[in-house]
Structures are given as structure tokens and as C-alpha cells.
């Protein structure tokens, strides 16, 4: 019969603490159980037990102070139908008083905090959010009205009992516990007693925790048949191992079922959706290692945070080393979850050594190639599924074009863009295949608004000539694409470059005489706008609009300037655009006809301001703009 653990507590040393506000918030959610999938509490507790065993395992292998510890890692789950309790014990690292306050009274993880800040108060929406999120220890309050944590830290003498009924407070008292490790006891709510059934718990463990590297045991009641007719059959309690405890990544691919991969993914990622694909590799030869990578279906909450939680865990010969090393894969693959298990690394590698380690570098390079290669295969084999991936992670993947020169070609084969000529997204390969015979370059336009881009004066000639333009409306594009320069030997050029390819130029040029007349306008406008623009030129790219802004080949364009500002570069030199004018526009014809050059004083600014607007820029002096505009509206009426 299980003893009530609080009998161990020494009452007079009990201390009451308040939970951090965020914890109270989270507990509130748990208790009102937004989350329908309550059984995952067990996955969370087992995963914590497994982490605690990992930590101690590592110390016994690397730290002299722990080397003599008798340590046979084990997790045990006990169901007690008399007290309506479920308890889970591990002989892992354990916690002292400070650890308890730190770990079970606050939320340190930024991911959790940002999760909480995203909650809307709308129960339906919030439960969807919570489903995508690893909820940790506190999830146990979905099924328990009260929780006790009896724990003793390895190599320390004092044990502690943490207890809480989730009402904003918890107690910590000194307690007695024979061995190091932790026992967590859940006093189940009256309507959650299904979690006392052996077969229910066994099924949950098999589903979520089959492949944690440690053995999980339960007490199973077995009926022993009677020896002869006179005696009744007897019942006996036997301790049985419930999970396989075989690190999945070390097993042979052919022996692993899809379901097992999926369950393993959910266990390491805390994601309740299935992964999009997985890549399982065993490398033999000079450097031996195993990797198992997963591409998720949904975006993790912290994907665009600097302090994101890396998704890849490092093991050395099946011993867990770290899950907090961002250098294991490049940042643009930070959505990948999984495991790297290296054979030839020392167990006690320091962080500094990790980051410069030649073996890890080799594994990293091979892994990146492998992952990009598999994505390419997916793109070729299952375009729809690839598109699903791309919509979720394409933005992050593109970041790779910025720094990973080694894999530039592979990345260029993976990125997709919107197009002036087609629905949906196109690849550079598809663009090239559809290029006109005499077309020399791949053209793109950058900006933040797809509609502005589609209607931009900058692409009027391209449209007239039926030349495709890629519409780059993601912020990252403005930084990344100018770095690329070419794809498969074809130059990639922005449409707002002051140099323009011959094939785009407007064919029916204006006559020499008209051009001479137009020079008078040009000179005047240049004088009027001399503080605002670098130059004023006749445009050969416009057909409908009177004016457009372009940039000198070596100047950053507006989008790039905005990006640089956002990245904290405030003292950029002021870059002036070049104003190009459509000499055939009727505005200019009328000015010349009436010889009304005085009107240019206003019109020059109207031409500049509308070009700015078309590019998504702000006008500095809106009052003057409106005044000038209204003056000409009144004139026209
Ligand atoms: P996470 O596991 O993601 O850190 P949890 O909410 O699941 O978040 O757990 C919070 C912390 O509590 C853990 O990081 C760990 O330090 C501590 N903890 C929880 N369970 C145990 C345990 N069985 N043994 C030792 N420490 C534990
Ligand atoms: Mg946890």
C-alpha cells in the first residue's frame, strides 16, 4: 500500500510561495481545461523525468563527483485506486529548494511567455493555440486537483516536498526521501479517474513515450492459474516494462513504422500535429553518426524570435548532451526538429569546443545538404505538399541565401516567388523556362504591398512586352535577393535599376526634335527638385504613368534602406533617387504647347510625390501636396 507522501513532510518548516503571474495565468487555462487532449500531461511528466535522468547520466559519465553514484536510470508509474493518485518517479538529478522555486514557480522560457501573450480570451482560438504548444509540468493540473513533488537532488542530503492546489500558491517543506530523484503525485480530479486504469496509461505511454531512451515500469496485476481444480486462481502484482526504451534513431529504418516516427516527433517537439516529413540517416565511414530530422507542418511560436529554442538535440553515443545549441544547424533551418547522435565526440565537450569541432562541422554540412536535397525531392515529387511547406517556412529558408554561399544553388532551386504574369508561386527554374527568346535577365521588383507592385509604373514596359517580373513582397527579399545576382548563369536584376536592358526599352522613341524641346522641361525640373533627387531623366520604361523613381546601380533602393533602418542602422547617408519622366505623356505635351514653364514649379513636386506614393513611400509634406493637387483640380473644372 502506498504511503501518503505528505506524511513525510515536517510541518513546521513549510513555506508558502506565490506563483509568478504568468504561471497563474497558465494554470487558470489548464484548470478550465481548454485543451481537449488531456492525456498529454503524462507525456510531459515522462519527458521531464527523462530529462532529469539525462542530466544525471551525463554527470555520472563526466564529473568525478558523481562517478561513484549507484545509478540505474528508471522511471516508475504507480496507479493507486484507493487514494485516486497517479505517481511518477524517477531516479534522476532531482531538485533542491532553489530549483523548485525556479522551476516550478516561474516560467523562464520566452516561448511560453510569448504563447501566453498571444492568448485572446476566446476559448476556441486559445485551445487551438495551446494544442500547438508544449505545456510542460503545469499541464498536470488539467487532471489533478492537487500535486505533490517529493524530490532530493543527487549528491545533496535534504529532500523537499513541493505541493500546490494551483490556487495561486504553492508550499515547499523539508521532507524525508531515501534516494535521490523525484516522485510526482497527482491527486486526480473526480472526473479524471480513467487515468487510474492500467491499460489506458499503458496505451498513452506507448503512444508518446515508447522511444525515450529510459525504461518505464508499471505494476501489472497478473492472474496465476490454479494448480488443480480445488484451488482458486491467484493474483499477483508484477513490475513490467511498458515502453521499448530503444532510442528510435538508432534503430534500422526498415523496422520503424510511420506511426512510430510520428509519435516520436510529437514527443520531442511537443507539437500535436504530424510532421510533414522526416529524414533518417546513418553515416558510416570516417565519421560515424546518426541523424533523424523532422520538418514540422506548423510554425513554432518562436520562429521569428531571436531567442528561439533550437529544435535539434545533440547526443553522443546515445547520451544526451544538449538541446540548447543553435549552431548544430544553420539559423535558416531553425524550424527543423530532431536528433544528431555522434559516435566520435568526447562526452564532456564544452560549448566553445562544440562550436569549432571539426566532426560536428562535417555532420552539420552533410545534414544541410541532406535536408535541402530532400526538400528538392519533395518539390519535384509532390508540388502541393512542397507548397504547404513553403508557405510555412519559405520566409525562413530564404534567409539562407544571405549567408550560406556553399548551398546557394540548392537554395535557389527551393525558393518561390509571386509573379506579374501568373497566379500562385513560381520557381526560378519555371521563370527561366518561360523566358522570351531574347530576354537576357530575370527581373524582379521589391516592395511591401503586392497590389502596389502589380500596378507599379516600373513594370509598365515589362507588361507591354509580356516579360515576366517576380514580385518580391516579403521584407527579407529586399536584403537577400540583391545578394544573389544570378541564377543558372542568368543575371537577376531589379526593375528599378537606373541601367536598363535594351530589351525592355520602349521601341518608338521620341523624335530628336521632341527630345530637344523636352530638355527645357528636364532642366527646369532638375533645378526645382535639386534637393530631393539625384537626377532627372527621360524614361524608356514608362507607358502610362508620367513619372517613376529609380536608383543608381550602387545605391540601396527604398526597400533596402527601410530594411537597414529596421536593422538599427540609423545614420545611413541620405540616398537620393533618380526621377524618370515619360516624355510622351500629355502633361508635358501641354506644357510645351502652352509654353507654361511656370506651372512646373508645382507640377515637378506633383510628379515626384506621385512616384513616391506608387513606390509605397510617404510624402514628407502632405499639406503642400494637397494644395498643389487641388489647385490643378480647380483649374481643370
Ligand atoms: P521544461 O521541461 O520544458 O523545462 P516543464 O514545465 O516541463 O518545462 O518543467 C519545468 C522544469 O522543472 C524543468 O526544466 C526541470 O528543471 C524541472 N523538473 C520538472 N520535472 C522534473 C523532474 N522529474 N526532475 C527534475 N527536475 C524536474
Ligand atoms: Mg518538460
Amino acid at each position: 500500500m502506498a504511503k501518503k507522501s505528505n506524511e513525510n513532510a515536517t510541518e513546521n518548516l513549510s513555506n508558502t510561495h506565490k506563483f509568478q503571474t504568468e504561471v497563474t495565468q497558465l494554470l487558470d487555462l489548464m484548470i478550465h481545461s481548454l485543451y481537449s487532449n488531456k492525456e498529454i500531461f503524462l507525456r510531459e511528466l515522462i519527458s521531464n523525468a527523462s530529462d532529469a535522468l539525462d542530466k544525471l547520466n551525463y554527470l555520472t559519465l563526466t564529473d568525478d563527483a558523481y562517478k561513484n553514484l549507484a545509478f540505474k536510470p528508471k522511471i516508475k508509474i504507480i496507479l493507486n485506486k484507493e487514494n485516486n493518485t497517479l505517481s511518477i518517479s524517477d531516479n534522476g538529478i532531482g531538485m533542491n529548494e532553489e530549483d523548485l522555486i525556479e522551476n516550478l514557480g516561474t516560467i523562464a522560457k520566452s516561448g511560453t511567455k510569448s504563447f501566453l501573450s498571444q492568448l485572446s480570451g476566446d476559448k476556441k482560438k486559445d485551445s487551438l493555440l495551446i494544442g500547438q504548444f508544449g505545456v510542460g509540468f503545469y499541464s498536470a493540473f488539467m487532471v489533478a486537483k492537487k500535486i505533490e513533488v517529493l524530490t532530493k537532488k543527487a549528491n545533496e542530503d535534504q529532500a523537499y516536498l513541493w505541493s500546490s492546489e494551483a490556487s495561486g500558491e504553492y508550499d515547499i517543506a523539508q521532507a524525508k526521501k531515501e534516494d535521490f530523484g523525484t516522485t510526482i503525485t497527482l491527486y486526480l480530479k473526480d472526473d479524471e479517474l480513467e487515468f487510474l486504469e492500467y491499460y489506458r496509461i499503458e496505451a498513452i505511454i506507448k503512444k508518446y513515450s515508447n522511444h525515450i531512451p529510459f525504461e518505464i515500469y508499471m505494476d501489472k496485476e497478473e492472474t496465476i492459474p490454479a494448480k488443480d481444480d480445488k484451488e482458486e486462481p491467484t493474483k499477483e502484482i508484477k513490475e513490467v516494462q511498458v515502453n521499448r526504451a530503444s532510442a528510435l534513431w538508432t534503430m534500422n529504418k526498415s523496422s520503424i513504422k510511420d506511426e512510430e516516427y510520428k509519435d516520436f516527433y510529437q514527443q520531442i517537439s511537443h507539437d500535436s500535429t504530424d510532421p510533414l516529413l522526416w529524414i533518417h540517416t546513418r553515416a558510416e565511414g570516417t565519421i560515424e553518426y546518426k541523424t533523424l530530422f523532422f520538418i514540422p507542418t506548423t510554425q513554432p511560436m518562436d520562429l521569428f524570435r531571436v531567442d528561439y529554442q533550437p529544435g535539434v538535440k545533440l547526443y553522443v553515443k546515445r547520451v544526451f548532451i544538449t538541446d540548447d545549441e543553435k549552431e548544430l544547424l544553420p539559423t535558416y533551418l531553425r524550424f527543423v526538429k530532431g536528433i544528431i547522435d555522434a559516435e566520435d565526440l568526447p562526452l564532456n565537450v564544452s560549448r566553445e569546443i562544440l562550436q569549432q569541432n571539426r566532426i560536428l562541422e562535417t555532420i552539420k554540412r552533410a545534414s544541410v545538404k541532406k535536408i535541402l536535397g530532400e526538400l528538392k525531392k519533395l518539390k519535384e515529387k509532390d508540388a502541393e505538399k512542397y507548397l504547404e511547406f513553403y508557405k510555412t517556412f519559405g520566409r525562413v529558408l530564404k534567409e539562407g541565401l544571405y549567408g550560406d554561399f556553399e548551398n546557394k544553388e540548392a537554395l535557389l532551386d527551393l525558393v518561390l516567388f509571386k509573379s506579374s504574369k501568373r497566379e500562385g508561386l513560381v520557381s526560378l527554374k519555371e521563370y527561366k523556362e518561360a523566358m522570351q527568346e531574347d530576354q537576357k535577365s530575370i527581373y524582379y521588383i521589391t516592395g511591401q504591398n503586392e497590389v502596389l507592385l502589380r500596378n507599379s509604373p516600373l513594370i509598365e514596359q515589362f507588361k507591354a512586352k509580356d516579360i515576366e517580373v517576380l514580385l518580391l513582397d516579403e521584407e527579407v527579399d529586399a536584403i537577400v535577393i540583391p545578394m544573389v545576382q544570378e541564377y543558372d548563369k542568368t543575371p537577376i536584376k531589379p526593375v528599378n535599376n537606373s541601367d536598363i536592358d535594351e530589351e525592355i526599352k520602349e521601341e518608338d522613341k521620341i523624335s530628336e526634335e521632341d527630345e530637344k524641346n523636352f530638355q527645357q522641361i528636364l532642366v527646369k525640373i532638375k533645378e526645382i527638385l535639386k534637393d530631393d533627387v539625384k537626377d532627372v531623366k527621360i524614361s524608356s520604361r514608362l507607358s502610362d504613368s508620367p513619372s517613376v523613381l529609380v536608383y543608381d546601380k550602387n545605391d540601396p533602393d527604398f526597400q533596402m534602406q527601410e530594411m537597414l533602418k529596421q536593422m538599427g542602422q540609423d545614420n545611413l547617408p541620405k540616398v537620393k533617387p533618380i526621377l524618370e519622366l515619360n516624355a510622351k505623356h500629355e502633361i508635358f505635351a501641354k506644357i510645351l504647347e502652352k509654353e507654361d514653364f511656370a506651372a512646373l514649379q508645382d507640377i515637378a513636386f506633383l510628379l515626384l510625390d506621385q512616384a513616391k506614393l506608387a513606390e509605397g513611400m510617404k510624402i514628407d509634406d502632405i499639406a503642400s501636396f494637397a494644395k498643389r493637387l487641388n489647385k490643378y483640380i480647380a483649374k481643370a473644372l
Side-chain angles (χ1 to χ4, degrees):
M1 163 99 17
K3 246 196 276 172
K4 270 197 204 158
S5 53
N6 61 3
E7 282 169 18
N8 293 328
T10 324
E11 299 289 334
N12 54 357
L13 286 170
S14 167
N15 260 321
T16 302
H17 302 258
K18 275 207 155 45
F19 282 120
Q20 185 194 28
T21 329
E22 280 93 350
V23 177
T24 311
Q25 241 178 312
L26 189 62
L27 286 176
D28 217 44
L29 272 173
M30 291 297 151
I31 291 156
H32 299 105
S33 85
L34 286 168
Y35 195 32
S36 51
N37 195 17
K38 290 184 184 173
E39 64 188 28
I40 59 95
F41 82 88
L42 195 60
R43 172 189 80 191
E44 297 296 329
L45 296 182
I46 290 174
S47 124
N48 286 349
S50 173
D51 292 348
L53 292 168
D54 270 332
K55 282 180 198 154
L56 189 55
N57 189 27
Y58 177 75
L59 288 173
T60 59
L61 293 168
T62 57
D63 190 330
D64 285 338
Y66 294 84
K67 277 203 170 127
N68 296 323
L69 216 66
F71 177 57
K72 190 172 177 296
K74 176 179 172 181
I75 296 171
K76 171 98 191 243
I77 293 175
I78 293 178
L79 308 174
N80 183 328
K81 285 192 174 174
E82 246 160 85
N83 300 341
N84 291 343
T85 59
L86 178 155
S87 73
I88 162 169
S89 304
D90 65 71
N91 56 341
I93 185 77
M95 287 177 275
N96 59 25
E97 188 171 18
E98 273 167 74
D99 295 336
L100 282 169
I101 294 173
E102 177 94 346
N103 299 328
L104 302 184
T106 62
I107 293 176
K109 272 184 299 179
S110 56
T112 317
K113 282 193 178 166
S114 77
F115 159 73
L116 285 167
S117 69
Q118 285 181 49
L119 293 176
S120 61
D122 176 334
K123 285 207 172 187
K124 263 204 180 142
K125 276 192 205 147
D126 290 350
S127 42
L128 279 178
L129 265 183
I130 211 170
Q132 301 171 16
F133 188 76
V135 278
F137 169 80
Y138 303 106
S139 65
F141 280 108
M142 291 194 290
V143 299
K145 54 188 174 204
K146 176 179 172 187
I147 298 178
E148 287 179 351
V149 180
L150 180 63
T151 181
K152 186 161 128 189
K153 195 159 182 169
N155 273 2
E156 293 188 16
D157 296 324
Q158 184 63 56
Y160 295 91
L161 181 73
W162 178 102
S163 62
S164 176
E165 296 181 20
S167 52
E169 305 174 336
Y170 59 96
D171 285 328
I172 297 179
Q174 293 193 345
K176 291 215 162 52
K177 186 176 187 304
E178 191 75 13
D179 304 311
F180 54 83
T182 304
T183 297
I184 297 180
T185 305
L186 311 186
Y187 291 81
L188 293 172
K189 293 180 186 170
D190 296 341
D191 47 358
E192 305 295 350
L193 300 182
E194 62 184 281
F195 296 113
L196 293 173
E197 299 305 327
Y198 178 89
Y199 289 102
R200 176 91 168 95
I201 296 300
E202 184 191 38
I204 300 174
I205 295 172
K206 285 213 153 82
K207 179 167 176 197
Y208 297 107
S209 312
N210 215 13
H211 292 286
I212 66 156
F214 304 106
E215 293 162 11
I216 304 171
Y217 291 88
M218 284 177 76
D219 290 334
K220 188 172 189 182
E221 201 178 72
E222 279 185 4
T223 311
I224 311 213
K227 287 189 201 93
D228 53 57
D229 302 347
K230 284 172 218 153
E231 283 180 36
E232 292 283 306
T234 51
K235 287 188 172 166
E236 198 177 287
I237 306 278
K238 264 197 173 164
E239 189 176 70
V240 292
Q241 183 182 334
V242 189
N243 66 334
R244 283 173 74 163
S246 49
L248 188 76
W249 63 91
T250 63
M251 293 168 57
N252 230 327
K253 266 196 222 184
S254 54
S255 69
I256 308 174
K257 295 193 202 89
D258 283 3
E259 279 312 311
E260 292 181 294
Y261 277 119
K262 289 180 190 169
D263 292 342
F264 183 72
Y265 166 75
Q266 297 201 344
Q267 175 208 316
I268 60 162
S269 68
H270 301 279
D271 180 358
S272 57
T273 54
D274 282 342
L276 195 75
L277 64 91
W278 52 86
I279 306 162
H280 191 175
T281 314
R282 172 202 298 262
E284 275 151 1
T286 34
I287 296 180
E288 282 184 32
Y289 60 88
K290 298 176 189 79
T291 54
L292 173 54
F293 297 121
F294 295 89
I295 312 277
T297 318
T298 49
Q299 268 193 8
M301 299 288 174
D302 57 0
L303 190 61
F304 292 103
R305 295 178 60 97
V306 223
D307 54 355
Y308 70 91
Q309 173 70 36
V312 176
K313 297 178 203 268
L314 177 67
Y315 284 73
V316 172
K317 294 188 261 306
R318 289 189 56 183
V319 176
F320 171 80
I321 305 293
T322 178
D323 59 3
D324 192 24
E325 179 47 65
K326 291 186 175 165
E327 298 290 320
L328 294 174
L329 284 182
T331 34
Y332 71 86
L333 291 178
R334 61 185 178 273
F335 52 85
V336 175
K337 309 263 182 229
I339 274 143
I340 294 177
D341 191 349
E343 285 298 316
D344 310 310
L345 281 177
L347 283 175
N348 48 357
V349 276
S350 72
R351 192 161 210 149
E352 291 70 31
I353 291 175
L354 265 188
Q355 295 188 349
Q356 303 159 10
N357 186 277
R358 199 182 49 83
I359 294 175
L360 270 185
E361 190 54 38
T362 309
I363 297 176
K364 178 176 175 178
R365 283 175 66 183
S367 298
V368 173
K369 291 220 156 43
K370 184 83 192 163
I371 293 167
L372 297 181
E374 289 298 317
L375 286 172
K376 188 172 176 189
K377 271 192 218 158
L378 177 71
K379 179 163 169 265
E380 283 157 7
K381 271 196 277 181
D382 189 344
E384 206 174 310
K385 204 165 165 192
Y386 182 76
L387 201 62
E388 191 190 331
F389 156 78
Y390 194 81
K391 284 185 174 151
T392 319
F393 298 114
R395 263 177 74 188
V396 181
L397 198 67
K398 267 189 201 160
E399 293 171 18
L401 288 172
Y402 191 66
D404 192 352
F405 300 112
E406 194 180 323
N407 293 298
K408 189 174 130 183
E409 298 303 321
L411 283 164
L412 284 177
D413 275 328
L414 292 174
V415 290
L416 303 175
F417 302 102
K418 288 179 187 149
S419 150
S420 62
K421 274 177 69 174
R422 298 185 235 191
E423 291 283 310
L425 298 169
V426 294
S427 66
L428 292 171
K429 190 164 169 230
E430 286 166 322
Y431 181 103
K432 248 196 105 165
E433 281 163 4
M435 261 166 67
Q436 308 217 348
E437 229 166 82
D438 52 350
Q439 188 180 336
K440 291 192 201 73
S441 312
I442 295 169
Y443 299 103
Y444 68 86
I445 178 169
T446 53
Q448 272 147 33
N449 180 321
E450 187 186 336
V451 181
L452 276 184
L453 293 184
R454 283 195 190 281
N455 298 314
S456 168
L458 285 165
I459 66 171
E460 281 171 7
Q461 273 304 313
F462 290 84
K463 281 189 197 154
K465 298 218 153 82
D466 204 29
I467 294 174
E468 184 164 26
V469 177
L470 298 173
L471 309 176
L472 276 46
D473 63 349
E474 287 184 325
E475 254 179 43
V476 49
D477 293 328
I479 290 280
V480 157
I481 302 304
M483 312 264 310
V484 177
Q485 308 213 350
E486 62 169 43
Y487 166 73
D488 191 18
K489 303 198 186 75
T490 307
I492 304 185
K493 290 189 178 172
V495 295
N496 63 353
N497 196 295
S498 59
D499 281 353
I500 191 165
D501 287 340
E502 282 305 316
E503 72 246 31
I504 316 300
K505 282 197 178 159
E506 192 193 5
E507 271 137 27
D508 49 319
K509 278 192 138 191
I510 49 169
S511 68
E512 250 169 62
E513 204 197 322
D514 284 350
E515 192 173 329
K516 220 169 127 199
N517 288 333
F518 193 76
Q519 285 300 334
Q520 307 175 59
I521 294 183
L522 222 52
V523 170
K524 294 225 160 58
I525 294 185
K526 226 184 260 190
E527 177 56 28
I528 296 166
L529 298 179
K530 66 174 185 291
D531 292 336
D532 302 278
V533 300
K534 200 168 193 170
D535 202 356
V536 183
K537 289 182 177 170
I538 296 184
S539 184
S540 50
R541 70 182 97 212
L542 294 171
S543 47
D544 302 327
S545 309
S547 60
V548 70
L549 291 178
V550 299
Y551 291 84
D552 223 17
K553 207 164 47 186
N554 303 316
D555 283 343
D557 66 17
F558 170 63
Q559 305 304 331
M560 177 69 112
Q561 292 173 49
E562 287 296 292
M563 274 302 276
L564 291 171
K565 260 187 240 160
Q566 276 186 18
M567 286 160 63
Q569 305 200 13
D570 314 316
N571 46 1
L572 294 168
K574 191 169 154 50
V575 177
K576 289 186 192 170
I578 295 167
L579 183 69
E580 284 194 359
L581 300 175
N582 178 0
K584 283 188 299 188
H585 199 279
E586 70 170 313
I587 293 181
F588 304 115
K590 288 208 165 137
I591 290 173
L592 287 171
E593 191 187 307
K594 295 187 179 169
E595 295 194 4
D596 183 7
F597 293 110
L600 284 176
Q601 195 59 42
D602 287 321
I603 290 173
F605 284 103
L606 283 170
L607 292 169
L608 174 65
D609 286 346
Q610 65 173 290
K612 281 185 177 174
L613 289 176
E615 200 176 339
M617 290 167 80
K618 282 208 181 94
I619 304 176
D620 307 323
D621 184 355
I622 294 188
S624 302
F625 170 73
K627 218 163 151 186
R628 292 183 183 115
L629 184 64
N630 294 333
K631 182 167 153 190
Y632 281 90
I633 293 174
K635 261 195 179 172
L637 292 172

